[in-house]
Amino acid sequence: MGKLYLSFSARNHGNCESIAKYLMNEKDSYIAFKDLAYHSCSKCEYECFKEECKYRQDDIYKLLDSFYGYDKIIFLVPMYCGNPSSLYFILSERMQDYFNHNEEKYDSFLKKLFIIGIFGSQKENLYFLPVLSSWFKKEEAYEHVLGIERHLYNQKMNDSILNDETKRVLDSFFKKTSRKNVKKAYKKITKANPKG
């Protein structure tokens, strides 16, 4: 079945794509959300609450239906202006209609969902990872959400995020060879933002 890597980056050949290419094998797929035909939640009358979303014929429903053909779904989310990419929020908002009509699929989706957030500094952006973690129960979030901080590796905005250390972090996150380090890092984040 393989894994789906879904990038919410606005650019080609950036860190999200590099991370996906590093982790992917021949069974896996990569989709750049920016290249899909989609509508954001706007210019509507909340049809999704009463009937169905007026934009159901765009690529988002096809994308969401495809999730169940994969073993894992990995969201790659960059930070823009202190927040997750707006593309990430477009999909998140449109999921409301999908899961209102497919409630039985939601738990299966959450079990498959993993999120890699790429950002500058946890110290400067306390709420970035907790926003990404909000899909999960607090005790499960560290298993599903990984933050890659550029400043920990002395990297600037246009530097490639991939180096030996970040590769080890990615490998341990997905292969579960060193889960204690991931859990420790997540506890540090939630202490900084106890509500997260």
Side-chain angles (χ1 to χ4, degrees):
M1 286 168 67
K3 299 180 286 295
L4 171 64
Y5 291 85
L6 183 59
S7 168
F8 294 93
S9 176
R11 62 183 179 145
N12 292 319
H13 314 301
N15 285 321
C16 291
E17 188 174 334
S18 297
I19 288 172
K21 285 183 176 175
Y22 171 70
L23 292 169
M24 286 173 71
N25 64 43
E26 65 278 354
K27 291 182 183 176
D28 298 339
S29 300
Y30 174 83
I31 294 174
F33 188 83
K34 68 178 179 57
D35 294 336
L36 300 178
Y38 59 83
H39 294 84
S40 59
C41 288
S42 65
K43 300 180 182 176
C44 69
E45 297 299 325
Y46 296 159
E47 288 91 340
C48 63
F49 287 111
K50 297 172 247 161
E51 297 147 18
E52 61 183 49
C53 174
K54 67 188 274 185
Y55 300 123
R56 269 204 193 181
Q57 301 312 309
D58 67 10
D59 287 344
I60 288 183
Y61 242 72
K62 292 177 209 142
L63 173 68
L64 295 171
D65 278 337
S66 79
F67 282 177
Y68 303 95
Y70 294 99
D71 296 318
K72 290 181 181 172
I73 302 142
I74 295 98
F75 287 1
L76 300 148
V77 186
M79 183 178 73
Y80 297 147
C81 300
N83 295 296
S85 157
S86 62
L87 298 175
Y88 166 79
F89 287 112
I90 288 171
L91 180 64
S92 180
E93 288 175 343
R94 290 289 307 282
M95 282 181 171
Q96 179 169 282
D97 176 65
Y98 184 84
F99 286 116
N100 278 347
H101 294 88
N102 296 281
E103 287 180 43
E104 73 285 356
K105 294 182 175 183
Y106 187 69
D107 288 341
S108 172
F109 161 71
L110 282 187
K111 286 177 188 167
K112 294 180 179 202
L113 178 62
F114 296 84
I115 302 174
I116 301 172
I118 301 132
F119 65 124
S121 163
Q122 177 62 31
K123 187 176 177 183
E124 293 171 14
N125 300 280
L126 290 176
Y127 303 107
F128 180 66
L129 291 182
V131 166
L132 300 179
S133 300
S134 63
W135 294 93
F136 309 101
K137 293 177 183 170
K138 199 166 187 176
E139 66 273 12
E140 295 173 343
Y142 83 93
E143 293 184 352
H144 289 267
V145 180
L146 174 67
I148 302 286
E149 294 179 64
R150 285 192 324 274
H151 293 186
L152 289 180
Y153 310 105
N154 298 315
Q155 294 175 335
K156 295 191 168 62
M157 179 75 73
N158 291 321
D159 293 343
S160 171
I161 199 74
L162 283 179
N163 59 35
D164 290 343
E165 197 169 348
T166 55
K167 287 177 182 178
R168 275 194 297 276
V169 169
L170 290 162
D171 289 342
S172 96
F173 183 69
F174 284 105
K175 294 175 184 167
K176 301 185 180 177
T177 55
S178 180
R179 301 302 300 178
K180 286 182 185 174
N181 291 340
V182 177
K183 190 170 187 177
K184 191 194 298 184
Y186 190 77
K187 279 185 177 174
K188 184 178 171 187
I189 290 160
T190 53
K191 274 184 189 171
N193 177 29
K195 293 181 183 175

